Amino acid sequence: MKPLADCKLYAFVDTAYLNGRSPKTLAHQLCEGGADLIQLRAKHSSLEEVRQLAEAILEVTRHANIGLVINDHPALAREVGAELCHLGQEDFFDAGHRQVSEFKIQNSKFKIGLSTHSPEQAQRALAAGADYIAIGPVYPTGTKPTAKAVTLDYVRWAAANVIVPWFAIGGLNLQNLDAVLAAGARRVCVVSAILNAPDVAQACAEFRRALE
Ligand code: TZP
Ligand code: MG
């Protein structure tokens, strides 16, 4: 996979948006559209289901040389050979973890990203050694309906202060992308605007073009 700093478009296979499509087909379309990273987000799946999904998607992402991020399950991510894992505040700090190195035993190349929703959380994530952080939700989003929007103010703060690769996330679409870029974002995570598009690969390619 590309170095994280060069990854701009972070797309998702989110099982909430499958609508009958196969996860593997979606992964293909995201790769074809130019995603730099793909996260498997399967909030209502059992660990065994996540493992099977991850193994299927890895066949696609490995071939495309794109990093696969497993949401929520660091041990499983390492076991299946995914390149990265993403954890929320509740999965990491609230669960008693302090350093991402706790998850890197015997695999120093394995990377951990952390969600953050405020400057204080970002500083704590950086001190914990996060390989990347997510900044959001920038806008309200149906993908995470209970999360409060952090607004472009937090994006501007990140642009001025965050020294690891960071991705703006939450409610991003092709209409508001320019405002997010103007606030200083150079990397974005996009779930529903890509997975709900009539043509996933084309939607992905449009984000890619806008980010170049
Ligand atoms: N974390 C913060 S916002 C969000 C997550 C997982 C959801 C982003 O999804 P969408 O559909 O791109 O708003
Ligand atoms: Mg989580």
Side-chain angles (χ1 to χ4, degrees):
M1 61 171 273
K2 282 181 188 172
L4 262 182
D6 298 341
C7 291
K8 292 183 175 176
L9 180 57
Y10 183 148
F12 291 69
V13 174
D14 184 329
T15 51
Y17 290 100
L18 288 180
N19 284 319
R21 297 171 293 185
S22 110
K24 207 166 171 176
T25 303
L26 278 183
H28 264 297
Q29 292 167 345
L30 298 172
C31 291
E32 184 194 331
D36 296 310
L37 292 167
I38 295 177
Q39 180 184 124
L40 171 58
R41 186 169 189 267
K43 283 288 177 190
H44 304 292
S45 302
S46 68
L47 201 57
E48 197 41 46
E49 286 165 340
V50 177
R51 182 188 306 278
Q52 284 171 18
L53 289 166
E55 284 171 350
I57 295 170
L58 264 172
E59 288 176 20
V60 178
T61 53
R62 283 223 181 96
H63 190 252
N65 198 25
I66 285 171
L68 178 66
V69 188
I70 304 295
N71 192 34
D72 290 341
H73 302 294
L76 185 142
R78 269 206 324 254
E79 278 164 35
V80 298
E83 292 79 5
L84 308 95
C85 178
H86 185 88
L87 297 173
Q89 291 283 309
E90 66 289 356
D91 308 310
F92 190 78
F93 294 107
D94 301 349
H97 300 293
R98 289 292 167 260
Q99 289 293 319
V100 302
S101 56
E102 294 166 37
F103 295 105
K104 296 191 180 192
I105 298 148
Q106 294 175 337
N107 184 357
S108 57
K109 275 166 77 182
F110 183 61
K111 291 182 170 44
I112 305 276
L114 297 177
S115 295
T116 72
H117 317 295
S118 66
E120 296 68 34
Q121 291 184 353
Q123 270 153 349
R124 188 165 75 154
L126 297 184
D131 293 290
Y132 76 83
I133 63 173
I135 297 287
V138 179
Y139 300 109
T141 170
T143 306
K144 210 170 182 178
T146 54
K148 189 170 172 282
V150 298
T151 80
L152 290 173
D153 288 344
Y154 184 34
V155 176
R156 283 186 277 270
W157 181 88
N161 293 284
V162 177
I163 52 166
V164 299
W166 59 274
F167 294 80
I169 185 170
L172 271 53
N173 56 44
L174 286 164
Q175 286 69 50
N176 60 29
L177 183 62
D178 282 348
V180 178
L181 298 180
R186 293 295 172 265
R187 304 179 196 83
V188 296
C189 293
V190 184
V191 187
S192 53
I194 290 177
L195 294 181
N196 283 340
D199 183 328
V200 165
Q202 189 188 321
C204 220
E206 283 169 21
F207 274 99
R208 180 82 268 138
R209 218 168 299 128
L211 286 164
E212 292 303 337

mmCIF file of all heavy atoms in Angstrom, residues 162-205:
data_model
loop_
_atom_site.group_PDB
_atom_site.id
_atom_site.type_symbol
_atom_site.label_atom_id
_atom_site.label_comp_id
_atom_site.label_asym_id
_atom_site.label_seq_id
_atom_site.Cartn_x
_atom_site.Cartn_y
_atom_site.Cartn_z
ATOM 1 N N VAL A 162 -2.324 19.145 13.642
ATOM 2 C CA VAL A 162 -2.130 17.685 13.654
ATOM 3 C C VAL A 162 -0.940 17.296 12.774
ATOM 4 O O VAL A 162 -0.875 17.670 11.603
ATOM 5 C CB VAL A 162 -3.408 16.940 13.210
ATOM 6 C CG1 VAL A 162 -3.165 15.442 13.159
ATOM 7 C CG2 VAL A 162 -4.551 17.253 14.168
ATOM 8 N N ILE A 163 -0.037 16.532 13.363
ATOM 9 C CA ILE A 163 1.230 16.244 12.694
ATOM 10 C C ILE A 163 1.302 14.832 12.114
ATOM 11 O O ILE A 163 2.307 14.444 11.554
ATOM 12 C CB ILE A 163 2.407 16.454 13.668
ATOM 13 C CG1 ILE A 163 2.128 15.672 14.950
ATOM 14 C CG2 ILE A 163 2.595 17.941 13.972
ATOM 15 C CD1 ILE A 163 3.304 15.501 15.862
ATOM 16 N N VAL A 164 0.232 14.055 12.255
ATOM 17 C CA VAL A 164 0.175 12.751 11.576
ATOM 18 C C VAL A 164 -0.899 12.867 10.485
ATOM 19 O O VAL A 164 -1.701 13.800 10.505
ATOM 20 C CB VAL A 164 -0.178 11.597 12.548
ATOM 21 C CG1 VAL A 164 0.874 11.466 13.643
ATOM 22 C CG2 VAL A 164 -1.578 11.766 13.134
ATOM 23 N N PRO A 165 -0.907 11.918 9.526
ATOM 24 C CA PRO A 165 -1.972 11.981 8.521
ATOM 25 C C PRO A 165 -3.349 11.989 9.200
ATOM 26 O O PRO A 165 -3.581 11.216 10.127
ATOM 27 C CB PRO A 165 -1.756 10.696 7.712
ATOM 28 C CG PRO A 165 -0.301 10.395 7.872
ATOM 29 C CD PRO A 165 0.018 10.810 9.280
ATOM 30 N N TRP A 166 -4.228 12.865 8.738
ATOM 31 C CA TRP A 166 -5.584 12.918 9.325
ATOM 32 C C TRP A 166 -6.615 13.042 8.216
ATOM 33 O O TRP A 166 -6.341 13.582 7.154
ATOM 34 C CB TRP A 166 -5.712 14.054 10.339
ATOM 35 C CG TRP A 166 -5.428 15.419 9.798
ATOM 36 C CD1 TRP A 166 -4.208 16.023 9.694
ATOM 37 C CD2 TRP A 166 -6.381 16.363 9.273
ATOM 38 N NE1 TRP A 166 -4.331 17.281 9.140
ATOM 39 C CE2 TRP A 166 -5.656 17.510 8.878
ATOM 40 C CE3 TRP A 166 -7.773 16.362 9.111
ATOM 41 C CZ2 TRP A 166 -6.284 18.637 8.315
ATOM 42 C CZ3 TRP A 166 -8.389 17.484 8.559
ATOM 43 C CH2 TRP A 166 -7.651 18.604 8.174
ATOM 44 N N PHE A 167 -7.773 12.476 8.501
ATOM 45 C CA PHE A 167 -8.844 12.377 7.511
ATOM 46 C C PHE A 167 -10.088 13.054 8.064
ATOM 47 O O PHE A 167 -10.529 12.734 9.166
ATOM 48 C CB PHE A 167 -9.181 10.903 7.241
ATOM 49 C CG PHE A 167 -8.066 10.124 6.587
ATOM 50 C CD1 PHE A 167 -7.007 9.630 7.347
ATOM 51 C CD2 PHE A 167 -8.068 9.881 5.218
ATOM 52 C CE1 PHE A 167 -5.978 8.905 6.752
ATOM 53 C CE2 PHE A 167 -7.038 9.160 4.615
ATOM 54 C CZ PHE A 167 -5.991 8.669 5.384
ATOM 55 N N ALA A 168 -10.658 13.958 7.285
ATOM 56 C CA ALA A 168 -11.964 14.516 7.652
ATOM 57 C C ALA A 168 -13.019 13.465 7.339
ATOM 58 O O ALA A 168 -12.932 12.766 6.329
ATOM 59 C CB ALA A 168 -12.231 15.793 6.867
ATOM 60 N N ILE A 169 -14.020 13.357 8.211
ATOM 61 C CA ILE A 169 -15.058 12.329 8.051
ATOM 62 C C ILE A 169 -16.400 12.860 8.529
ATOM 63 O O ILE A 169 -16.445 13.690 9.439
ATOM 64 C CB ILE A 169 -14.689 11.045 8.846
ATOM 65 C CG1 ILE A 169 -15.708 9.935 8.588
ATOM 66 C CG2 ILE A 169 -14.557 11.311 10.345
ATOM 67 C CD1 ILE A 169 -15.303 8.567 9.139
ATOM 68 N N GLY A 170 -17.458 12.339 7.924
ATOM 69 C CA GLY A 170 -18.792 12.587 8.441
ATOM 70 C C GLY A 170 -19.607 13.534 7.589
ATOM 71 O O GLY A 170 -19.355 14.736 7.574
ATOM 72 N N GLY A 171 -20.556 12.966 6.829
ATOM 73 C CA GLY A 171 -21.465 13.781 6.028
ATOM 74 C C GLY A 171 -20.816 14.395 4.804
ATOM 75 O O GLY A 171 -21.373 15.317 4.202
ATOM 76 N N LEU A 172 -19.664 13.887 4.410
ATOM 77 C CA LEU A 172 -18.975 14.489 3.262
ATOM 78 C C LEU A 172 -19.599 13.997 1.952
ATOM 79 O O LEU A 172 -19.921 12.826 1.799
ATOM 80 C CB LEU A 172 -17.475 14.132 3.286
ATOM 81 C CG LEU A 172 -16.571 15.098 4.069
ATOM 82 C CD1 LEU A 172 -17.075 15.322 5.483
ATOM 83 C CD2 LEU A 172 -15.151 14.594 4.106
ATOM 84 N N ASN A 173 -19.756 14.949 1.032
ATOM 85 C CA ASN A 173 -20.259 14.605 -0.302
ATOM 86 C C ASN A 173 -19.593 15.535 -1.320
ATOM 87 O O ASN A 173 -18.813 16.425 -0.942
ATOM 88 C CB ASN A 173 -21.793 14.680 -0.345
ATOM 89 C CG ASN A 173 -22.304 16.042 0.090
ATOM 90 O OD1 ASN A 173 -21.770 17.078 -0.325
ATOM 91 N ND2 ASN A 173 -23.321 16.051 0.942
ATOM 92 N N LEU A 174 -19.916 15.321 -2.587
ATOM 93 C CA LEU A 174 -19.239 16.106 -3.626
ATOM 94 C C LEU A 174 -19.652 17.581 -3.571
ATOM 95 O O LEU A 174 -18.932 18.441 -4.061
ATOM 96 C CB LEU A 174 -19.520 15.508 -5.008
ATOM 97 C CG LEU A 174 -18.761 14.197 -5.274
ATOM 98 C CD1 LEU A 174 -19.356 13.445 -6.462
ATOM 99 C CD2 LEU A 174 -17.262 14.467 -5.501
ATOM 100 N N GLN A 175 -20.804 17.860 -2.933
ATOM 101 C CA GLN A 175 -21.262 19.249 -2.836
ATOM 102 C C GLN A 175 -20.498 20.009 -1.747
ATOM 103 O O GLN A 175 -20.192 21.188 -1.908
ATOM 104 C CB GLN A 175 -22.764 19.302 -2.522
ATOM 105 C CG GLN A 175 -23.673 18.934 -3.694
ATOM 106 C CD GLN A 175 -23.575 17.445 -4.065
ATOM 107 O OE1 GLN A 175 -23.686 16.561 -3.209
ATOM 108 N NE2 GLN A 175 -23.344 17.151 -5.335
ATOM 109 N N ASN A 176 -20.210 19.344 -0.634
ATOM 110 C CA ASN A 176 -19.550 20.086 0.459
ATOM 111 C C ASN A 176 -18.035 19.850 0.513
ATOM 112 O O ASN A 176 -17.344 20.410 1.357
ATOM 113 C CB ASN A 176 -20.200 19.780 1.818
ATOM 114 C CG ASN A 176 -20.130 18.303 2.198
ATOM 115 O OD1 ASN A 176 -19.213 17.593 1.793
ATOM 116 N ND2 ASN A 176 -21.077 17.849 3.002
ATOM 117 N N LEU A 177 -17.532 19.041 -0.400
ATOM 118 C CA LEU A 177 -16.104 18.701 -0.345
ATOM 119 C C LEU A 177 -15.207 19.942 -0.464
ATOM 120 O O LEU A 177 -14.203 20.058 0.246
ATOM 121 C CB LEU A 177 -15.761 17.690 -1.449
ATOM 122 C CG LEU A 177 -14.319 17.192 -1.447
ATOM 123 C CD1 LEU A 177 -13.985 16.453 -0.152
ATOM 124 C CD2 LEU A 177 -14.058 16.278 -2.647
ATOM 125 N N ASP A 178 -15.583 20.875 -1.337
ATOM 126 C CA ASP A 178 -14.745 22.064 -1.510
ATOM 127 C C ASP A 178 -14.593 22.838 -0.205
ATOM 128 O O ASP A 178 -13.514 23.343 0.104
ATOM 129 C CB ASP A 178 -15.336 22.983 -2.584
ATOM 130 C CG ASP A 178 -15.025 22.460 -3.986
ATOM 131 O OD1 ASP A 178 -14.184 21.536 -4.099
ATOM 132 O OD2 ASP A 178 -15.622 22.967 -4.951
ATOM 133 N N ALA A 179 -15.668 22.932 0.562
ATOM 134 C CA ALA A 179 -15.609 23.664 1.837
ATOM 135 C C ALA A 179 -14.682 22.955 2.816
ATOM 136 O O ALA A 179 -13.947 23.598 3.576
ATOM 137 C CB ALA A 179 -17.007 23.786 2.429
ATOM 138 N N VAL A 180 -14.697 21.612 2.771
ATOM 139 C CA VAL A 180 -13.849 20.825 3.679
ATOM 140 C C VAL A 180 -12.381 20.990 3.273
ATOM 141 O O VAL A 180 -11.496 21.148 4.126
ATOM 142 C CB VAL A 180 -14.286 19.339 3.657
ATOM 143 C CG1 VAL A 180 -13.398 18.485 4.550
ATOM 144 C CG2 VAL A 180 -15.742 19.211 4.084
ATOM 145 N N LEU A 181 -12.141 20.994 1.973
ATOM 146 C CA LEU A 181 -10.761 21.202 1.490
ATOM 147 C C LEU A 181 -10.301 22.619 1.808
ATOM 148 O O LEU A 181 -9.161 22.835 2.214
ATOM 149 C CB LEU A 181 -10.677 20.928 -0.018
ATOM 150 C CG LEU A 181 -11.024 19.497 -0.477
ATOM 151 C CD1 LEU A 181 -10.891 19.362 -1.991
ATOM 152 C CD2 LEU A 181 -10.160 18.465 0.230
ATOM 153 N N ALA A 182 -11.214 23.582 1.666
ATOM 154 C CA ALA A 182 -10.860 24.980 1.957
ATOM 155 C C ALA A 182 -10.519 25.149 3.443
ATOM 156 O O ALA A 182 -9.723 26.010 3.816
ATOM 157 C CB ALA A 182 -12.000 25.909 1.558
ATOM 158 N N ALA A 183 -11.103 24.318 4.291
ATOM 159 C CA ALA A 183 -10.805 24.377 5.733
ATOM 160 C C ALA A 183 -9.465 23.719 6.049
ATOM 161 O O ALA A 183 -9.002 23.753 7.196
ATOM 162 C CB ALA A 183 -11.927 23.712 6.523
ATOM 163 N N GLY A 184 -8.853 23.103 5.051
ATOM 164 C CA GLY A 184 -7.495 22.576 5.250
ATOM 165 C C GLY A 184 -7.367 21.068 5.153
ATOM 166 O O GLY A 184 -6.259 20.528 5.263
ATOM 167 N N ALA A 185 -8.477 20.352 4.937
ATOM 168 C CA ALA A 185 -8.382 18.885 4.815
ATOM 169 C C ALA A 185 -7.721 18.531 3.483
ATOM 170 O O ALA A 185 -7.913 19.217 2.479
ATOM 171 C CB ALA A 185 -9.770 18.260 4.899
ATOM 172 N N ARG A 186 -6.923 17.491 3.499
ATOM 173 C CA ARG A 186 -6.317 16.965 2.266
ATOM 174 C C ARG A 186 -6.674 15.495 2.078
ATOM 175 O O ARG A 186 -6.402 14.923 1.034
ATOM 176 C CB ARG A 186 -4.782 17.122 2.303
ATOM 177 C CG ARG A 186 -4.330 18.555 2.257
ATOM 178 C CD ARG A 186 -4.702 19.209 0.919
ATOM 179 N NE ARG A 186 -4.454 20.645 0.923
ATOM 180 C CZ ARG A 186 -5.372 21.575 1.203
ATOM 181 N NH1 ARG A 186 -6.624 21.226 1.497
ATOM 182 N NH2 ARG A 186 -5.081 22.853 1.186
ATOM 183 N N ARG A 187 -7.246 14.898 3.110
ATOM 184 C CA ARG A 187 -7.630 13.482 3.077
ATOM 185 C C ARG A 187 -9.047 13.359 3.632
ATOM 186 O O ARG A 187 -9.370 14.037 4.612
ATOM 187 C CB ARG A 187 -6.678 12.644 3.942
ATOM 188 C CG ARG A 187 -5.225 12.781 3.555
ATOM 189 C CD ARG A 187 -4.319 11.936 4.460
ATOM 190 N NE ARG A 187 -2.947 12.380 4.298
ATOM 191 C CZ ARG A 187 -2.409 13.407 4.927
ATOM 192 N NH1 ARG A 187 -3.113 14.091 5.830
ATOM 193 N NH2 ARG A 187 -1.173 13.751 4.682
ATOM 194 N N VAL A 188 -9.827 12.487 3.018
ATOM 195 C CA VAL A 188 -11.216 12.346 3.471
ATOM 196 C C VAL A 188 -11.649 10.883 3.550
ATOM 197 O O VAL A 188 -11.187 10.036 2.789
ATOM 198 C CB VAL A 188 -12.205 13.110 2.548
ATOM 199 C CG1 VAL A 188 -11.940 14.612 2.596
ATOM 200 C CG2 VAL A 188 -12.168 12.602 1.107
ATOM 201 N N CYS A 189 -12.558 10.630 4.481
ATOM 202 C CA CYS A 189 -13.252 9.346 4.590
ATOM 203 C C CYS A 189 -14.674 9.565 4.095
ATOM 204 O O CYS A 189 -15.336 10.511 4.552
ATOM 205 C CB CYS A 189 -13.354 8.915 6.050
ATOM 206 S SG CYS A 189 -11.813 8.523 6.849
ATOM 207 N N VAL A 190 -15.132 8.690 3.234
ATOM 208 C CA VAL A 190 -16.486 8.849 2.686
ATOM 209 C C VAL A 190 -17.188 7.497 2.692
ATOM 210 O O VAL A 190 -16.704 6.547 2.075
ATOM 211 C CB VAL A 190 -16.442 9.397 1.246
ATOM 212 C CG1 VAL A 190 -17.858 9.636 0.732
ATOM 213 C CG2 VAL A 190 -15.604 10.663 1.150
ATOM 214 N N VAL A 191 -18.317 7.429 3.371
ATOM 215 C CA VAL A 191 -19.087 6.181 3.408
ATOM 216 C C VAL A 191 -20.289 6.300 2.471
ATOM 217 O O VAL A 191 -20.280 5.801 1.339
ATOM 218 C CB VAL A 191 -19.558 5.827 4.836
ATOM 219 C CG1 VAL A 191 -20.211 4.448 4.852
ATOM 220 C CG2 VAL A 191 -18.396 5.858 5.832
ATOM 221 N N SER A 192 -21.359 6.981 2.934
ATOM 222 C CA SER A 192 -22.644 6.888 2.225
ATOM 223 C C SER A 192 -22.644 7.588 0.874
ATOM 224 O O SER A 192 -23.314 7.124 -0.047
ATOM 225 C CB SER A 192 -23.771 7.423 3.111
ATOM 226 O OG SER A 192 -23.476 8.711 3.594
ATOM 227 N N ALA A 193 -21.928 8.689 0.734
ATOM 228 C CA ALA A 193 -21.970 9.395 -0.556
ATOM 229 C C ALA A 193 -21.410 8.522 -1.673
ATOM 230 O O ALA A 193 -21.776 8.686 -2.834
ATOM 231 C CB ALA A 193 -21.212 10.723 -0.473
ATOM 232 N N ILE A 194 -20.536 7.597 -1.327
ATOM 233 C CA ILE A 194 -20.015 6.668 -2.347
ATOM 234 C C ILE A 194 -20.899 5.426 -2.435
ATOM 235 O O ILE A 194 -21.305 5.025 -3.532
ATOM 236 C CB ILE A 194 -18.544 6.296 -2.049
ATOM 237 C CG1 ILE A 194 -17.648 7.521 -2.299
ATOM 238 C CG2 ILE A 194 -18.103 5.103 -2.912
ATOM 239 C CD1 ILE A 194 -16.184 7.324 -1.983
ATOM 240 N N LEU A 195 -21.254 4.847 -1.287
ATOM 241 C CA LEU A 195 -21.998 3.576 -1.333
ATOM 242 C C LEU A 195 -23.452 3.753 -1.771
ATOM 243 O O LEU A 195 -24.071 2.809 -2.249
ATOM 244 C CB LEU A 195 -21.928 2.881 0.028
ATOM 245 C CG LEU A 195 -20.520 2.421 0.429
ATOM 246 C CD1 LEU A 195 -20.558 1.732 1.787
ATOM 247 C CD2 LEU A 195 -19.907 1.492 -0.620
ATOM 248 N N ASN A 196 -24.001 4.959 -1.638
ATOM 249 C CA ASN A 196 -25.377 5.207 -2.113
ATOM 250 C C ASN A 196 -25.408 5.723 -3.544
ATOM 251 O O ASN A 196 -26.486 5.940 -4.091
ATOM 252 C CB ASN A 196 -26.083 6.234 -1.221
ATOM 253 C CG ASN A 196 -26.555 5.631 0.092
ATOM 254 O OD1 ASN A 196 -26.692 4.414 0.196
ATOM 255 N ND2 ASN A 196 -26.792 6.465 1.077
ATOM 256 N N ALA A 197 -24.258 5.965 -4.134
ATOM 257 C CA ALA A 197 -24.232 6.511 -5.505
ATOM 258 C C ALA A 197 -24.674 5.422 -6.491
ATOM 259 O O ALA A 197 -24.455 4.241 -6.256
ATOM 260 C CB ALA A 197 -22.824 6.986 -5.841
ATOM 261 N N PRO A 198 -25.280 5.830 -7.601
ATOM 262 C CA PRO A 198 -25.719 4.835 -8.579
ATOM 263 C C PRO A 198 -24.553 4.034 -9.156
ATOM 264 O O PRO A 198 -24.714 2.858 -9.488
ATOM 265 C CB PRO A 198 -26.411 5.669 -9.669
ATOM 266 C CG PRO A 198 -26.128 7.094 -9.364
ATOM 267 C CD PRO A 198 -25.701 7.195 -7.938
ATOM 268 N N ASP A 199 -23.392 4.661 -9.262
ATOM 269 C CA ASP A 199 -22.201 3.971 -9.779
ATOM 270 C C ASP A 199 -21.064 4.210 -8.784
ATOM 271 O O ASP A 199 -20.502 5.310 -8.720
ATOM 272 C CB ASP A 199 -21.852 4.518 -11.167
ATOM 273 C CG ASP A 199 -20.667 3.791 -11.795
ATOM 274 O OD1 ASP A 199 -19.761 3.345 -11.052
ATOM 275 O OD2 ASP A 199 -20.639 3.681 -13.033
ATOM 276 N N VAL A 200 -20.756 3.186 -7.993
ATOM 277 C CA VAL A 200 -19.788 3.328 -6.893
ATOM 278 C C VAL A 200 -18.400 3.701 -7.414
ATOM 279 O O VAL A 200 -17.740 4.601 -6.883
ATOM 280 C CB VAL A 200 -19.755 2.023 -6.062
ATOM 281 C CG1 VAL A 200 -18.541 1.961 -5.164
ATOM 282 C CG2 VAL A 200 -21.030 1.906 -5.240
ATOM 283 N N ALA A 201 -17.948 3.030 -8.447
ATOM 284 C CA ALA A 201 -16.603 3.312 -8.976
ATOM 285 C C ALA A 201 -16.524 4.739 -9.501
ATOM 286 O O ALA A 201 -15.535 5.452 -9.256
ATOM 287 C CB ALA A 201 -16.256 2.318 -10.080
ATOM 288 N N GLN A 202 -17.578 5.166 -10.161
ATOM 289 C CA GLN A 202 -17.561 6.524 -10.715
ATOM 290 C C GLN A 202 -17.601 7.569 -9.600
ATOM 291 O O GLN A 202 -16.878 8.579 -9.655
ATOM 292 C CB GLN A 202 -18.759 6.705 -11.651
ATOM 293 C CG GLN A 202 -18.711 8.003 -12.436
ATOM 294 C CD GLN A 202 -20.011 8.237 -13.190
ATOM 295 O OE1 GLN A 202 -20.591 7.283 -13.735
ATOM 296 N NE2 GLN A 202 -20.484 9.469 -13.198
ATOM 297 N N ALA A 203 -18.406 7.323 -8.573
ATOM 298 C CA ALA A 203 -18.470 8.263 -7.444
ATOM 299 C C ALA A 203 -17.099 8.373 -6.788
ATOM 300 O O ALA A 203 -16.615 9.458 -6.468
ATOM 301 C CB ALA A 203 -19.508 7.798 -6.441
ATOM 302 N N CYS A 204 -16.466 7.231 -6.625
ATOM 303 C CA CYS A 204 -15.131 7.188 -6.038
ATOM 304 C C CYS A 204 -14.154 8.008 -6.897
ATOM 305 O O CYS A 204 -13.377 8.816 -6.375
ATOM 306 C CB CYS A 204 -14.716 5.724 -6.039
ATOM 307 S SG CYS A 204 -13.858 5.190 -4.621
ATOM 308 N N ALA A 205 -14.242 7.815 -8.185
ATOM 309 C CA ALA A 205 -13.336 8.521 -9.104
ATOM 310 C C ALA A 205 -13.583 10.028 -9.066
ATOM 311 O O ALA A 205 -12.644 10.824 -9.188
ATOM 312 C CB ALA A 205 -13.518 7.984 -10.524
#
